[in-house]
């Protein structure tokens, strides 16, 4: 009770409270001015540090001088205040040094590790705040618009949507995301929507440390959401320019639509397409189809709201293509109708798109035509070759308009493999991977780089890309498969026990519906390893047991693989019989072009007249 009486008489609580209130007002004023760029950002943490350090000083002064009347300053008070002052100075110095070290541009950029390089950027999906689903669609749309605009800047490497999507609703810390994506800067944001206003608060975070180094706010009336996209990109680019120390020139975005309702419906449809893909991966094809049907309806409404905008037509074409893919290799009228619709929507989009924006529509038309060719969904002789030719021309046209169109590069790689042009396929796959390592089908891209290297007998590169695949996609069966294929190279020293172990893992990781076929393929490739190990009898026995009928292997790929093994162990008659079986099932695989190279897999057969009589040319 005596202590409480002393505190009351010396007015400690009112004095310290007044200090806290005054300090809070000063902090708010500094924060507001710093937020608007009137004061330097470094001032706020300094004032906050001094405020906290001053609290013990306020307690000391009130204790010795809070009572009424004159009080002298005893030595103990002076000593305590000196100590408080020293602590405040040291703490301010530490804060100042930490802030300056974060704000300094790091140079030279060329020597930085990827996770320290401010030119490597990942825009994480913004958090939506507001009522209803529209707030979430708005947050997603603004995030993806910012990714697209920054991706067009040559000075930056920006992680694609597919790269950041796995972290969309995760609780992973920023520094862990920075390490996973190998970026120097992360952009986080919150989108707050009211009936009349949309506000975006962004934070710039160091990828290595997870520390925030800058923040900003942009806001617009709800009717000006599309102008908000431009404001947001400009704000982020200015902050990045300070970090990089060089000009960042945003490419002027061609006007697509200024209709907010149409734009929001496209965002909602894109979300449904993503959800459909997830459902399809779980074999819930009926639900996946329902999502795509709903997406198509939303895109149709968007197209009616903004008839001159190419995006709804392009997205409707991709939805039609995805509905065809759900039907698989079915050659039904429904499948043909979906692909006809995809081409129709692509042509409609091309009639509306500007020159630079026509790349997605060209890729769509190429993809639909190429898929029709692959499943042989044609009615007239010679039509499949024409589809192949037109698809290649459209893929190349799309890439010419946008050299960083990773998905088009990836698809062109597959087409080039079909043509037997392994060298160009290799280069194209590498371009696709460099443009977007997080492409949805990035595992296929890595696999194609590996197999192109194998086709070119480049063992060093084949091993490298097989290792990249194992590291990035540890659960993908193809990156057990690639390790077995390496034993097929001429200078390989096969470890047969290891080959069989990898074969078991390959089959176990393969999708259940393809497991029987993958087991046959795996045994055929082990047969190649046995042939390279000069174990001809073992190779002969393994490939004979691995044969499967056309019900499991309709394109007779296993016959082709067995033909390779038979050629290597000297069973020429069997090799030619198997090769003829494969060509009969795949007549477009015959080599009738003088400028296409013969594959090295069959080089032991090329001196026999039967080779050309079977493969053509």
């Amino acid at each position: 009770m005596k202590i409480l009486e002393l505190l009351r008489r010396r007015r400690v609580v009112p004095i310290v409270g007044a200090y806290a209130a005054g300090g809070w007002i000063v902090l708010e004023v500094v924060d507001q001015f710093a937020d608007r760029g009137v004061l330097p950002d470094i001032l706020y943490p300094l004032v906050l540090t001094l405020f906290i350090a001053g609290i013990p000083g306020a307690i000391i002064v009130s204790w010795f001088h809070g009572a009424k009347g004159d009080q002298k300053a005893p030595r103990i008070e002076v000593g305590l205040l000196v100590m408080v002052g020293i602590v405040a100075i040291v703490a301010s110095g530490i804060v100042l040094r930490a802030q300056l070290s974060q704000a300094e541009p790091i140079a030279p950029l060329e020597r930085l590790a990827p996770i320290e390089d401010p030119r490597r950027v990942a825009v994480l999906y913004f958090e939506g705040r507001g009522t209803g689903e529209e707030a979430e669609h708005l947050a997603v749309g603004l995030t993806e618009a910012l990714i697209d605009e920054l991706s067009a800047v040559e000075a930056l490497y920006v992680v694609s949507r597919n790269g950041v999507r796995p972290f969309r609703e995760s609780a992973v810390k920023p520094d862990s995301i920075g390490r996973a994506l190998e970026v120097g800067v992360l952009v986080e944001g919150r989108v707050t929507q009211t009936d009349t206003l949309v506000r975006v608060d962004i934070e710039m975070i160091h990828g290595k440390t997870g520390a925030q180094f800058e923040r900003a706010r942009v806001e617009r009336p709800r009717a000006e959401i599309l102008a908000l996209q431009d404001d947001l990109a400009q704000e982020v680019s200015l902050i990045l320019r300070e970090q990089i120390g060089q000009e960042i020139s945003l490419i002027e975005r061609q006007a697509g639509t200024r209709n907010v309702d149409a734009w929001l419906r496209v965002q909602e449809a894109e979300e449904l397409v993503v959800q459909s893909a997830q459902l399809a991966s779980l074999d819930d094809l009926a639900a996946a189809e329902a999502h795509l049907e709903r997406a198509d309806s939303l895109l149709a409404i968007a197209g009616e709201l903004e008839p001159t905008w190419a995006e709804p037509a392009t997205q409707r074409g991709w939805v039609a293509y995805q509905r065809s893919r759900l039907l698989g290799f079915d050659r039904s009228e429904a499948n043909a109708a979906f692909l006809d619709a995809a081409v129709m929507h692509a042509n409609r989009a091309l009639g509306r798109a500007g020159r630079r924006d026509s790349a997605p529509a060209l890729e769509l038309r190429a993809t639909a035509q190429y898929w029709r060719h692959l499943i042989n969904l044609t009615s007239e002789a010679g039509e499949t070759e024409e589809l192949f030719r037109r698809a290649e021309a459209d893929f190349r046209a799309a890439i010419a308009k946008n050299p960083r169109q990773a998905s088009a590069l990836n698809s062109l790689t597959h087409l080039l493999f079909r043509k037997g042009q392994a060298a160009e396929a290799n280069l194209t796959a590498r371009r696709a991977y460099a443009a977007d390592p997080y492409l949805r089908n990035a595992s296929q891209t890595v696999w194609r780089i590996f197999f192109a290297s194998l086709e070119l007998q480049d063992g060093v590169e084949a091993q490298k890309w097989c290792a990249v695949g194992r590291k990035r996609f540890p659960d993908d069966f193809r990156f057990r498969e690639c390790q077995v294929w390496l034993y097929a190279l001429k200078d390989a020293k096969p470890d047969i026990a290891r080959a069989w172990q990898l074969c078991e893992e390959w089959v176990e990781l393969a999708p259940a519906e393809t497991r029987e076929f993958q087991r046959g393929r795996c045994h055929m490739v082990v047969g190649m390893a046995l042939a390279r190990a000069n174990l001809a009898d073992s190779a002969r026995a393994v490939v004979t047991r691995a044969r499967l009928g056309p019900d499991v292997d309709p394109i007779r790929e296993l016959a082709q693989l067995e033909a390779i093994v038979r050629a290597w162990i000297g069973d020429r008659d069997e090799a030619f019989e198997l090769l003829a079986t494969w060509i009969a099932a795949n007549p477009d695989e015959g080599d009738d072009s003088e400028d296409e190279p013969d594959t090295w897999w069959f080089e032991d057969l090329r001196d026999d007249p039967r080779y050309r009589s079977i493969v053509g040319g």
Side-chain angles (χ1 to χ4, degrees):
M1 294 298 294
K2 188 174 182 180
I3 293 176
L4 291 175
E5 178 61 24
L6 285 172
L7 290 173
R8 185 190 66 76
R9 195 185 336 156
R10 294 171 186 266
R11 296 183 296 174
V12 173
V13 174
I15 292 173
V16 173
Y19 172 83
W24 180 81
I25 292 171
V26 171
L27 283 170
E28 282 296 303
V29 171
V30 171
D31 183 39
Q32 291 296 320
F33 279 108
D35 205 25
R36 287 163 173 74
V38 178
L39 294 174
D41 289 339
I42 198 173
L43 192 60
Y44 182 83
L46 276 177
V47 173
L48 178 62
T49 303
L50 291 172
F51 168 70
I52 294 172
I55 293 174
I59 295 173
I60 293 168
V61 170
S62 63
W63 179 265
F64 286 101
H65 303 286
K68 294 181 179 180
D70 296 330
Q71 292 94 18
K72 293 183 179 180
R75 290 183 178 180
I76 186 172
E77 179 191 2
V78 174
L80 290 172
L81 290 175
V82 168
M83 291 176 61
V84 170
I86 292 172
V87 170
I89 292 171
V90 171
S92 299
I94 293 172
V95 170
L96 182 63
R97 182 176 179 181
Q99 293 294 318
L100 288 176
S101 65
Q102 287 185 10
E104 285 180 357
I106 307 173
L109 294 173
E110 290 73 16
R111 298 181 184 176
L112 294 176
I115 197 173
E116 298 174 326
D117 191 340
R119 296 169 299 185
R120 298 178 63 87
V121 180
V123 181
L124 304 181
Y125 274 89
F126 295 166
E127 175 189 352
R129 294 181 178 178
T131 57
E133 293 184 354
E134 184 177 302
E136 184 63 27
H137 296 317
L138 177 59
V140 172
L142 289 173
T143 304
E144 295 183 348
L146 180 58
I147 291 172
D148 292 344
E149 294 213 26
L150 294 180
S151 296
V153 179
E154 291 293 336
L156 300 177
Y157 166 83
V158 182
V159 176
S160 68
R161 304 176 184 185
N162 293 307
V164 296
R165 188 169 283 126
F167 303 100
R168 181 170 167 183
E169 296 179 354
S170 70
V172 181
K173 293 182 179 179
D175 56 334
S176 297
I177 298 175
R179 285 194 297 272
L181 299 177
E182 294 187 322
V183 293
V185 174
L186 296 168
V187 183
E188 289 187 340
R190 291 172 302 282
V191 180
T192 304
Q193 178 184 246
T194 66
D195 291 339
T196 59
L197 187 71
V198 176
R199 181 173 64 246
V200 183
D201 293 288
I202 56 172
E203 296 177 354
M204 310 294 283
I205 299 170
H206 285 299
K208 183 177 181 179
T209 64
Q212 176 188 317
F213 66 86
E214 186 62 271
R215 58 181 174 171
R217 170 178 289 178
V218 292
E219 57 186 22
R220 284 263 189 170
R222 183 187 178 281
E224 299 178 12
I225 289 173
L226 301 172
L228 181 65
Q229 295 180 23
D230 298 331
D231 295 347
L232 190 60
Q234 290 289 347
E235 189 70 37
V236 172
S237 67
L238 287 173
I239 297 172
L240 291 173
R241 179 182 176 182
E242 293 178 3
Q243 292 291 304
I244 296 171
Q246 67 185 74
E247 185 69 38
I248 295 177
S249 301
L250 291 170
I251 295 175
E252 184 178 353
R253 183 166 56 90
Q254 295 186 0
T257 181
R258 292 295 168 186
N259 188 309
V260 173
D261 289 335
W263 184 81
L264 284 170
R265 280 175 169 78
V266 170
Q267 306 314 311
E268 186 178 351
E270 289 183 349
E271 281 290 285
L272 287 168
V273 171
V274 171
Q275 294 168 14
S276 172
Q278 294 169 345
L279 290 166
S281 69
L282 299 173
D283 292 329
D284 191 349
L285 301 185
E289 164 63 21
H291 276 63
L292 291 176
E293 186 174 4
R294 172 61 179 156
D296 183 69
S297 299
L298 288 168
L299 292 166
I301 295 171
E304 292 172 359
L305 291 170
E306 187 65 282
T308 61
W309 189 23
E311 186 69 10
T314 302
Q315 293 304 323
R316 286 192 77 185
W318 283 115
V319 167
Y321 169 73
Q322 291 299 333
R323 295 175 82 175
S324 169
R325 291 304 300 258
L326 288 178
L327 295 176
F329 289 95
D330 183 15
R331 296 175 181 174
S332 65
E333 291 183 4
N335 208 344
F338 284 139
L339 293 175
D340 287 341
V343 172
M344 178 192 70
H345 289 309
N347 289 331
R348 184 176 297 166
L350 286 169
R352 300 171 182 174
R355 182 184 184 279
R356 184 171 62 85
D357 294 333
S358 62
L362 284 167
E363 181 188 352
L364 165 62
R365 189 168 69 182
T367 304
Q369 293 175 133
Y370 187 45
W371 178 240
R372 184 188 284 270
H373 161 82
L374 289 174
I375 64 177
N376 199 23
L377 190 59
T378 55
S379 57
E380 298 179 7
E383 186 180 354
T384 184
E385 291 82 2
E386 179 62 18
L387 285 169
F388 189 91
R389 185 193 63 78
R390 292 204 303 260
E392 180 178 4
D394 279 345
F395 279 134
R396 293 189 184 278
I399 294 163
K401 293 181 183 299
N402 180 11
R404 299 172 73 174
Q405 190 98 349
S407 51
L409 287 162
N410 198 31
S411 296
L412 180 60
T413 299
H414 188 278
L415 184 147
L416 292 169
F417 268 122
R418 299 276 295 183
K419 289 182 70 176
Q421 296 179 353
E424 188 179 359
N426 192 352
L427 293 174
T428 306
R430 289 169 185 264
R431 286 176 61 192
Y433 191 76
D436 185 2
Y438 299 98
L439 187 67
R440 186 178 61 183
N441 296 326
S443 61
Q444 290 184 5
T445 305
V446 175
W447 169 257
R448 287 167 185 165
I449 298 173
F450 159 77
F451 212 85
S453 301
L454 197 71
E455 287 276 4
L456 297 170
Q457 301 186 75
D458 188 341
V460 174
E461 284 296 301
Q463 288 180 347
K464 170 188 169 182
W465 287 99
C466 185
V468 169
R470 288 200 310 272
K471 181 179 179 181
R472 284 203 57 196
F473 311 105
D475 295 328
D476 191 319
F477 74 91
R478 286 172 293 198
F479 300 107
R480 300 296 195 282
E481 178 181 348
C482 68
Q483 297 175 74
V484 186
W485 276 103
L486 289 171
Y487 291 140
L489 289 167
K490 289 182 181 179
D491 56 352
K493 297 179 180 178
D495 181 341
I496 302 303
R498 176 62 175 157
W500 280 117
Q501 178 187 346
L502 290 167
C503 183
E504 291 176 5
E505 296 174 7
W506 165 356
V507 175
E508 184 178 350
L509 289 172
E513 64 273 16
T514 68
R515 201 160 286 159
E516 183 181 1
F517 174 69
Q518 292 299 336
R519 181 176 289 105
R521 285 186 78 243
C522 179
H523 288 192
M524 291 295 181
V525 182
V526 171
M528 294 182 194
L530 290 165
R532 288 300 188 206
N534 296 317
L535 299 171
D537 289 340
S538 297
R540 194 174 288 116
V542 167
V543 297
T544 300
R545 289 198 305 269
R547 292 172 177 171
L548 294 171
D551 55 326
V552 180
D553 181 20
I555 63 173
R556 309 315 299 270
E557 181 181 346
L558 299 189
Q560 179 200 23
L561 298 180
E562 185 179 350
I564 294 172
V565 178
R566 296 286 182 176
W568 290 358
I569 62 177
D571 295 348
R572 285 196 163 206
D573 292 341
E574 291 85 349
F576 282 120
E577 184 178 347
L578 290 160
L579 189 56
T581 299
W582 175 63
I583 291 292
N586 302 273
D588 60 328
E589 296 288 351
D591 179 8
D592 56 1
S593 173
E594 294 181 0
D595 59 354
E596 289 186 10
D598 290 316
T599 175
W600 65 272
W601 303 98
F602 293 112
E603 63 184 1
D604 293 334
L605 301 179
R606 286 206 298 266
D607 60 351
D608 192 309
R610 289 177 290 178
Y611 182 76
R612 283 298 168 193
S613 69
I614 292 174
V615 302

